Structure formats: structure tokens, C-alpha cells
Amino acid sequence: MADVARLAGVSVASVSRALRGEPGVREDLRHRIEGIARQLHYEVDEGARNLRIRHNRTISVVVPHSPAAGESLSDPFLLALIGSIADALTARSYDLLLSRIDTTQVGRLCRDVESRRAMGVIVVGQGHHHEQLNMVADRGVPLVVWGAHIEGRRYATVGSDNRLGGRLATAHLLDGGARRVAFIGDTSLPEVAHRHAGYVDAHHARGLLPPMELTRPAPFVQARVERELASLLAMEPGIDAIFASSDLTAMTVVHALHRAGLRVPEDLQVVGFDDIPMVAQMRPALSSVAQSVEQAGAALLRALEAVVDGAQAPSIVLPTTLQPRESTRLAPCESARQT
Amino acid sequence: MADVARLAGVSVASVSRALRGEPGVREDLRHRIEGIARQLHYEVDEGARNLRIRHNRTISVVVPHSPAAGESLSDPFLLALIGSIADALTARSYDLLLSRIDTTQVGRLCRDVESRRAMGVIVVGQGHHHEQLNMVADRGVPLVVWGAHIEGRRYATVGSDNRLGGRLATAHLLDGGARRVAFIGDTSLPEVAHRHAGYVDAHHARGLLPPMELTRPAPFVQARVERELASLLAMEPGIDAIFASSDLTAMTVVHALHRAGLRVPEDLQVVGFDDIPMVAQMRPALSSVAQSVEQAGAALLRALEAVVDGAQAPSIVLPTTLQPRESTRLAPCESARQT
DNA sequence: ATGAAAGCGCTAACAC
DNA sequence: GTGTTAGCGCTTTCAT
């Protein structure tokens, strides 16, 4: 900046004013300064600027690192979500500091904010770390989590209407003629628990008793899903539909059913969750519950800004919709009336 | 930091020294200071620190924004690559500033570095922006690109051995009995061009003339792939195998072939590229060329560090390997001898 | 409308 | 071993 000032024959104060578009600067001077800056490829030092104004526009986005499961980094939904966040931040000229850390480490979650690198944190997926997240929020770190609204949470959340999604999926299966619908998914995860609650809802709404023995708590890992499915098929021959709590799980399920010589949807219907683009390419094309990814980034940012402004842990729920395809029996038009 | 100093009854200089593990500090004092810092949840202000030491450990990772194609944000390979980079940076205690911008805008690509927010840039995918990338490098911005080594490039690259991959895939198809192998992919992209070169190589190595009329320049967009495939099948009935330049394209191809009543691999063999985890779940399971994602992040970082240290645009090529599955005819064991 | 000077939170000489 | 002080590059009073 000193260089620009010297070349323009003015003080750094004027350069600062000119470059930031402050009013009290003569237009011709401003143009001269801008020209010189451009020529030098000069950009204002963000660190120095932030230090002076005691403020920054960087947001820390944390993708939980799950050493146990291979769940995380092959899921296209996660990429779509991160992309949505990146776009929302870019649109509002925030910077995005990405980190992949173990969410149990409260200290590391807070570090970016406490070292003033970032003004707030977005965590993509709450997993089992409810209590740790509460601790982060208690420490005064502006925090918003993509996930489910949990009783007693002190952090902001943005997430899909998982319960509605679960209800839509299950209703679709039942109305397609299924009587014994299995649920595969790790219900110890809050989001999955809500999907399961919707599954129960749909049964009740039809005067049916949800068959709890058909709920299998398989984590996202492929091998586990296959094992649970095998045991399910062996023990419960009457089963005629499967609601998988993610598309990745559903894909594994369809593949395994095929190897077992069972046809989808003739022998068993299958519905997934997330509606990743790929499921339309499966054979059969997979019915799935779509989340509103495009809205997610903007909603997360809105919630975070509210928290920064002192709001008390707001919570936003985004709509889910059913996308009927070939893996379920009810025709797309018929399923329109579902709830 | 002043707070910590006051509570410890020492000067800020001592706190700074203690917290950074400098030698000349009495052990008991250091412990006292560390205790107080922890208690206050104090973290050193990174911005102020970087300003003072005139240096930082942040790397800008740019995911090209392609307004045209929907190519980008559903590709699991991209997420795996970003994850690999994030892990490599974390392991070496770098921060990752993620942005999703139009790579044609040279100025924005340079901004993070020129505003001293980051010390270098990693671009994930070179697309058609060879010239712009050269301009960035010429501006003195430390730059490394995930992509192909191009004649006349002045920026560092890290990428897969796409030519080898193309050769492996094509050889596998030919040795599985195919005689008219089609290539679907946008050969104007350097990486895809290399895959195509490998396709040509494999033909030559067997004394065959590569059937250039069977090369279709379809971009990653699904609709385009389907159209090209339809025209291909209509015009060239003799076609008996397809090498798709990405797994996503291959999935679309398999789906379209099925709707056209053609069987894979009996009527046509299909092989993809990237080996995303999902292709093993397809019906039939898709043969594919695997890239070394796990190595990618570390290699990119190594190259970037070399550039920062003044190296002249190094270039790293990572191995590719064929993963034979059900969509091709040659048994996995037989295919071991391929080259 | 422009400049001089103080200070954001930190580190690194230099003194003691 | 510890404190004092200058200054990183910027913004912002306060003068002029």
C-alpha cells in the first residue's frame, strides 16, 4: 500500500480511502490510485485489515472426521452440501475455511474462532457429538450444525424435515401394497432417528402396528448393511419392502437383494434417502426422499448470522419431497396424494 | 494475550515465548502460563501473528465453478480428492481456504495470495483454462493444478497417469474380445485427451487401427451422453465395447444401453474411469480405472511446497490401475497380464 | 479533500 | 530468564 501511495504521490490514508470506496476522495485521484493498484496487482492485506478493524468475514466449515466409518468421503450428498455452503458464502463474500477434524475435540472446534481466524463455525453433520457441540456453543463460539433439532440443544441447527421424509417414504411403500416394511439405518444418529419416527408415523396413520423387529441399526458401512440384510431376510421371510436411511445404503441393499435372487420392486420394494443424482441411473432407478440441498447453504449462513447477532440458537427445517421411481410399486402420479 | 500476561504477572513477551515453546523460559513459569491460557480459552491471534512474522500456513483450494455443466458437484471423485487434500494439509498443519470460482477469472484466482490470505493455490481440475493458469503462474502466485501435464505449461501439475489408464482399459476390452471399441468423453479436456491417447496406444500395440469414427466428444452432462450414445448405436451397429472417460458417464451409458435392450457385458462391454466406490454396487458391477486419490493430496502439497521454495513447475504423475468387474468380459485373473 | 499519527495483537531484537 | 520497545500493514480519528 505504501508503494501505491508513493507512486500516486499521496499518503497511505488516501489510498486506503480510495480503495475502499469511501466518499471524501476526489474522483480523478481515486481513478489514478485504482489504476496503479491494478497495475501492481496490489490487494489489501486482509490480515492487517482484519487486525485493525477487529473483525473478519471468514467462516470455519467442519466436516467431521470419522476414523471408524468410511461413511464420509464417498457420499455425493456431502459434496453437494459443501458446494451449497461454498456458494452461499461466496455470494455474500465470506471466506470458507475448511477443516476435517474429529468433532469430539471441542478445543479444535473452537480454535478457528478463538484464534480469530473465523467468526463462526458450521458443522456438517452432528453425528453422536451432541454434548460436545453444546460445550462449543457454551464457550460462546457462534455455531450452527447441519442436523436434527435435539431436545436440550444449545446450538443452532439447520436440517431437513427428516420425519416428514420418513413418513413420505414409508407411506409410499405401504400404499404400494407393502405390509412388512423393514428399516435399515443407525437410529442412534438423531437424523436417522427422525426418519424412523416418520416410519412409525406412517404405520400409525394407517392403523398399522410398526413392525419393530424389522428395524435394523446398520451404520453406513457397506459390509454391515449386507450382514444386517442377510439376517433380516433369513429371519423374516415375510418382509416385502425396505426403507434405507440413505441412498448409499439403499444401493447396497438393492445390490445384495439382486445377488440373493430377489427382484425389486416385484419381490421387495426399496426406497432410499438423499436423492443423489446417481440413483436415477441405477437398475432399477431408485425411489428416494430428496432434501433441499440448494437451500441448505443459505439457511446455514442465515442461522449463523443470527447467532452472531445474538440470537438464541435458532433452528431451521427444510422441506423434503418424495421422488418415486422404479424401485417402488406405486406409480409417480398416484403417489402425489401421499402424506 | 495481555490478559494472560497480567494474570501470570509477567510481560506479554514471556507469554509469547512460553506459548510458542521457545527455549529460554523457566519450566514452572511456562506451565503457569499454559494453565492460565487454557483456562481463559485463549488462542494466539493468527492474523496478528501472521502479520508480524510476514508469513502464513494457509493454502487456497479452488474448485472450478462450471456454470455450464452440472459436472462438478455430484462427482464423488471430486469429494474424495478434496478430502485427500484436506487430510494432507491437516497432517502438516496447514489451513485450507476453499473457494468455488470461475477459473477464467485470473484476478480472483490470485487474490487469496496477493492479499496474503494464503501462501499458494491448489486448483482441482484444469478444465480448459490452461492459458489462464499460465498467467496466474506468471504473476508469481505459487500454483499447482490437479490435471494433466500440458506442453508449454508454466504451472506445476499433479495428476494421474491418464494415458496408462486409457491403455489398460482399452487393452482389457480388446483382450476380452472386443473389436469395435467406442470412446465417450470430451477429448478437448487435457486429461480426457490423455485417456484417449492410451485408447489409441492399446489399439496400435495389437496391430489394430483405432476406429476414430467411434470417438464421441460428449461432456459430462448426462443428456449429452445419452444423445451421443444413441447416435453411436444407430450409426455403428458393429460396436461391441465402450470406454467411458468417467464413471458417471459409464453409469449413464449402462443405464441407456439397458433401456435400449442391450446386455452388458454380453452385447457390449463397458469400462469407466475413477473407480468411485459406488460402481461396485451397480448392476452389473462396473469395471473401472482407479486413480490414487489417497496419494493425491500429499503429492499436491509436496509440489506446492516445491514451488514456494522456488522450484520450476514440477510435475508429478500418480499410478492408475484397472479394476475388472462384471461389465467387461475378461476374468479378473486373466486381466492381470494386461499393459 | 488530504495528511500525520496512533494503535489493532503479536514477535523479535535488544537491553538488563 | 525476563522486560522494553519497535514495527508488521492497515484503518481511523484528528488536524489542517
Side-chain angles (χ1 to χ4, degrees), chain B residues 13 36 94 103 127 144 146-147 204 276:
Chain B
I36 295 172
Y94 284 96
T103 320
V144 45
W146 172 262
H204 286 155
I276 59 180

Side-chain angles (χ1 to χ4, degrees), chain A residues 298-320:
Chain A
L300 284 161
L301 178 53
R302 217 181 318 135
L304 187 57
E305 286 176 324
V307 172
V308 169
D309 291 348
Q312 206 61 46
S315 176
I316 303 179
V317 176
L318 301 176
T320 48

Side-chain angles (χ1 to χ4, degrees), chain A residues 187-320:
Chain A
T187 46
S188 72
L189 291 166
E191 306 188 57
V192 178
H194 283 189
R195 292 170 197 181
H196 187 260
Y199 161 89
V200 171
D201 288 348
H203 280 86
H204 287 156
R206 279 155 188 75
L208 301 169
L209 216 57
M212 288 312 186
E213 71 281 13
L214 298 187
T215 292
R216 293 305 169 102
F220 281 121
V221 191
Q222 186 177 320
R224 289 289 315 272
V225 171
E226 285 169 347
R227 196 180 337 142
E228 288 295 344
L229 184 62
S231 105
L232 203 50
L233 293 174
M235 295 169 59
E236 306 283 349
I239 184 175
D240 53 12
I242 295 174
F243 173 20
S245 66
S246 82
D247 282 339
L248 254 28
T249 302
M251 289 174 73
T252 306
V253 164
V254 168
H255 197 236
L257 288 176
H258 175 243
R259 280 185 314 188
L262 292 163
R263 293 164 307 163
V264 176
E266 294 82 358
D267 300 324
L268 280 95
Q269 302 183 76
V270 177
V271 59
F273 210 107
D274 290 345
D275 196 43
I276 58 179
M278 224 156 299
V279 296
Q281 309 287 3
M282 292 284 293
R283 206 156 99 218
L286 208 59
S287 302
S288 187
V289 176
Q291 309 193 52
S292 314
V293 215
E294 329 73 40
Q295 298 177 46
L300 284 161
L301 178 53
R302 217 181 318 135
L304 187 57
E305 286 176 324
V307 172
V308 169
D309 291 348
Q312 206 61 46
S315 176
I316 303 179
V317 176
L318 301 176
T320 48

Side-chain angles (χ1 to χ4, degrees), chain A residues 1 16 42 45 49 52:
Chain A
M1 183 146 164
S16 173
Y42 170 78
D45 186 312
R49 166 160 222 273
R52 179 58 233 243

Side-chain angles (χ1 to χ4, degrees), chain B residues 174-243:
Chain B
L174 293 172
D175 294 348
R179 272 305 155 264
R180 292 188 58 74
V181 180
F183 181 96
I184 297 189
D186 183 355
T187 47
S188 72
L189 291 166
E191 306 187 58
V192 178
H194 283 190
R195 292 170 197 180
H196 187 260
Y199 161 90
V200 171
D201 288 348
H203 281 86
H204 286 155
R206 280 156 188 73
L208 301 169
L209 218 55
M212 286 314 186
E213 71 279 14
L214 298 188
T215 292
R216 293 305 170 101
F220 282 121
V221 192
Q222 187 177 319
R224 290 290 313 272
V225 170
E226 285 170 348
R227 192 173 348 136
E228 289 294 345
L229 184 62
S231 108
L232 202 51
L233 293 174
M235 295 171 58
E236 305 283 351
I239 184 177
D240 53 11
I242 295 175
F243 174 19

